[in-house]
Amino acid sequence: MARLLQGITGLLLLLAVSSISAQSQADLFRKPGVIGDSLSQGFFGATVEKKTQDWAYPVLVSKQAGSSVTYNELKGPFINLEDVLKGDCGPICIGLAIIGGNQKTYSLPSHAGITGAEYTTVLKTSGKCEDITAKKQEKDWYWRTWYHYTYRWVTVADCQEPDKFHQFGLRSSGTQMEVMEKNKPSFVFGSAGANHVLCTALHTSLDCLDEPRFKRDIREVFRRMANIGSVKGGVLFTVPNVTAIAFLEPYKDPQNRAAYSGLKAFFRSSVSSPSHVLDATEINTINNFLTMLNNEIKAQGAANRYAVADLKVIFDDLKENGRPIRHSSGYSPGNAQANWPLPGKPGVFGLDGVHPNMLGHAVFANELIDSINSRYGYNIAKVDEYSAWFYDSLNRNPVDLKKFLTQTIFGQFISWVIGIFT
């Protein structure tokens, strides 16, 4: 009898704990909010459009947690390389995509992640102004006396037009930080650190590294986030090794010049300047900066009691071992690698070698779900990675981009254009 009572008591306790956990999860995800960059907005190929926004990690994680986010739906700017290379987007489609615009808008979206953003722009860039804090001196004309018309210098706002991603993504809602303060979210997707260091890989230069600015602005973002009384939790992630992404590939100078050897952008067939590569010394500097950046992200996560996913460790494992893709029946198309898909070789990145494809975002989302479950004691279900691979058109019908760029006239022209602008 005593054992029966203990069993009943244990069962009731288990049910009570489960109920509390479910209620806590519902409360935490009552109103998710998102700040972030291209990873959160859904940049893919060379653009942002609704279908890519729909598979971005904040959308997937929120959905798995029983909630949702709202975002201004884009149709460009720029183009989806996959559609163009497969012949699914002709001249008119390309023209309209380059111009860009919105399919649907919200006066105050809960998802404010914007391509190209970092913690500095989270604070300063709105859909109307590149820097809402910028000032300039301007002449203010007035009548000093009834016969003396003159001027004085006054300080006014210097509102320069932001890029189109900010224009279409934020519109009139303010900066990303202001959107969060207006929305008062219960849970925050708060990662916007990648572009503080990814810029080195994309431009093969160290000029963009600025530790004081990074630390000042990430700390200010989370100071203001902590002052939003509605926020009960969140999730951050560290930045992977940016010198190991598919965008870069090893290059050995034929003349063995150290400054001309290292890592170059994949689309370059040769190197004619030290600025076209990251040499060994520069790679070491980047890795040191990355360690500092990730330590700061972990510190902010701990201080604010957020979940933190160590994507650097996860990416390193993906780079070395790949990611198994397996159906419940046991069938597997193989292991997804840390590159864009090739025939018979699944991959988690899009054709730029930087941003995830549909499968990549599912993998990404599941790692965040793991960290959220671990931090808050939940049991949020995972995204089905096999289904993400199955419905990922780039994985199911790959494009050999390097072959296209080197063996077709149009591809060689694209490489030339990319080389001018990077």
Side-chain angles (χ1 to χ4, degrees):
M1 183 67 175
R3 289 184 179 179
L4 178 61
L5 289 174
Q6 287 177 349
I8 293 173
T9 302
L11 179 60
L12 291 174
L13 181 61
L14 179 62
L15 291 172
V17 170
S18 299
S19 176
I20 292 172
S21 177
Q23 179 61 39
S24 298
Q25 179 180 318
D27 187 43
L28 187 65
F29 282 91
R30 175 184 56 81
K31 191 176 184 182
V34 185
I35 63 169
D37 48 32
S38 54
L39 290 175
S40 62
Q41 192 179 30
F43 185 93
F44 178 75
T47 190
V48 176
E49 53 191 14
K50 184 182 184 301
K51 71 177 182 181
T52 67
Q53 290 177 282
D54 288 347
W55 72 46
Y57 76 84
V59 179
L60 298 181
V61 176
S62 297
K63 182 178 179 180
Q64 294 301 112
S67 189
S68 63
V69 290
T70 58
Y71 40 91
N72 291 323
E73 297 171 5
L74 272 63
K75 49 181 180 182
F78 311 130
I79 57 174
N80 187 321
L81 286 177
E82 180 189 358
D83 290 346
V84 172
L85 298 186
K86 289 181 177 179
D88 297 331
C89 185
I92 295 177
C93 168
I94 292 174
L96 292 174
I98 290 174
I99 295 171
N102 289 103
Q103 289 191 194
K104 184 177 181 180
T105 62
Y106 293 84
S107 59
L108 186 62
S110 60
H111 181 337
I114 303 295
T115 294
E118 53 186 23
Y119 285 112
T120 302
T121 60
V122 166
L123 294 168
K124 294 184 176 182
T125 305
S126 70
K128 300 296 183 181
C129 296
E130 183 178 2
D131 183 354
I132 63 170
T133 68
K135 305 293 182 183
K136 64 180 179 180
Q137 293 292 301
E138 190 175 85
K139 290 180 179 179
D140 177 32
W141 290 89
Y142 69 104
W143 288 99
R144 188 170 185 177
T145 65
W146 67 270
Y147 58 85
H148 185 195
Y149 191 57
T150 186
Y151 67 86
R152 57 194 166 201
W153 289 101
V154 295
T155 301
V156 298
D158 185 14
C159 183
Q160 302 295 318
E161 190 174 73
D163 61 79
K164 288 187 176 181
F165 290 113
H166 278 85
Q167 290 178 42
F168 300 144
L170 292 175
R171 297 178 64 83
S172 300
S173 56
T175 66
Q176 292 194 52
M177 192 68 244
E178 290 173 335
V179 170
M180 293 301 102
E181 290 169 332
K182 294 172 185 176
N183 263 314
K184 302 189 183 307
S186 57
F187 182 89
V188 174
F189 293 88
S191 291
N195 284 322
H196 283 278
V197 64
L198 179 62
C199 52
T200 60
L202 299 183
H203 301 288
T204 54
S205 169
L206 304 185
D207 291 348
C208 62
L209 294 182
D210 190 336
E211 181 175 346
R213 177 173 65 84
F214 164 70
K215 286 185 173 179
R216 178 197 69 209
D217 292 337
I218 188 175
R219 291 171 183 177
E220 176 63 10
V221 164
F222 286 104
R223 183 195 69 79
R224 288 173 63 173
M225 203 73 77
N227 287 337
I228 304 175
S230 59
V231 176
K232 300 180 182 297
V235 64
L236 305 178
F237 53 81
T238 61
V239 179
N241 180 3
V242 299
T243 64
I245 59 177
F247 179 83
L248 297 173
E249 62 182 14
Y251 178 79
K252 177 68 174 178
D253 179 55
Q255 301 178 40
N256 292 319
R257 294 172 294 181
Y260 287 75
S261 298
L263 297 173
K264 69 173 183 65
F266 73 89
F267 57 81
R268 293 192 185 279
S269 58
S270 61
V271 169
S272 58
S273 165
S275 65
H276 293 167
V277 299
L278 293 171
D279 62 31
T281 301
E282 291 172 323
I283 292 171
N284 185 60
T285 299
I286 293 169
N287 287 334
N288 290 337
F289 188 93
L290 185 65
T291 298
M292 175 279 301
L293 180 146
N294 283 337
N295 285 341
E296 180 68 24
I297 290 172
K298 291 175 184 177
Q300 291 299 326
N304 291 278
R305 294 176 295 189
Y306 287 5
V308 179
D310 197 341
L311 289 195
K312 183 181 185 304
V313 172
I314 294 163
F315 179 82
D316 289 345
D317 179 68
L318 180 64
K319 186 82 174 176
E320 182 176 350
N321 303 309
R323 181 85 166 196
I325 308 170
R326 186 167 288 106
H327 188 262
S328 57
S329 67
Y331 167 73
S332 173
N335 285 6
Q337 304 297 318
N339 51 253
W340 58 74
L342 293 170
K345 297 179 180 179
V348 298
F349 285 98
L351 293 175
D352 62 3
V354 178
H355 298 91
N357 53 31
M358 188 175 183
L359 170 62
H361 272 288
V363 170
F364 194 5
N366 282 339
E367 296 299 339
L368 297 189
I369 288 172
D370 273 343
S371 65
I372 293 169
N373 285 342
S374 176
R375 173 65 182 84
Y376 297 106
Y378 301 150
N379 190 30
I380 300 172
K382 298 285 194 69
V383 178
D384 185 343
E385 292 181 19
Y386 178 86
S387 291
W389 167 81
F390 186 85
Y391 290 107
D392 187 335
S393 59
L394 187 61
N395 263 292
R396 297 304 301 278
N397 184 18
V399 174
D400 191 335
L401 180 60
K402 291 188 69 174
K403 183 177 180 180
F404 173 82
L405 292 175
T406 58
Q407 297 184 14
T408 69
I409 295 176
F410 182 52
Q412 291 170 11
F413 172 74
I414 290 177
S415 294
W416 177 74
V417 171
I418 294 174
I420 291 176
F421 289 101
T422 59

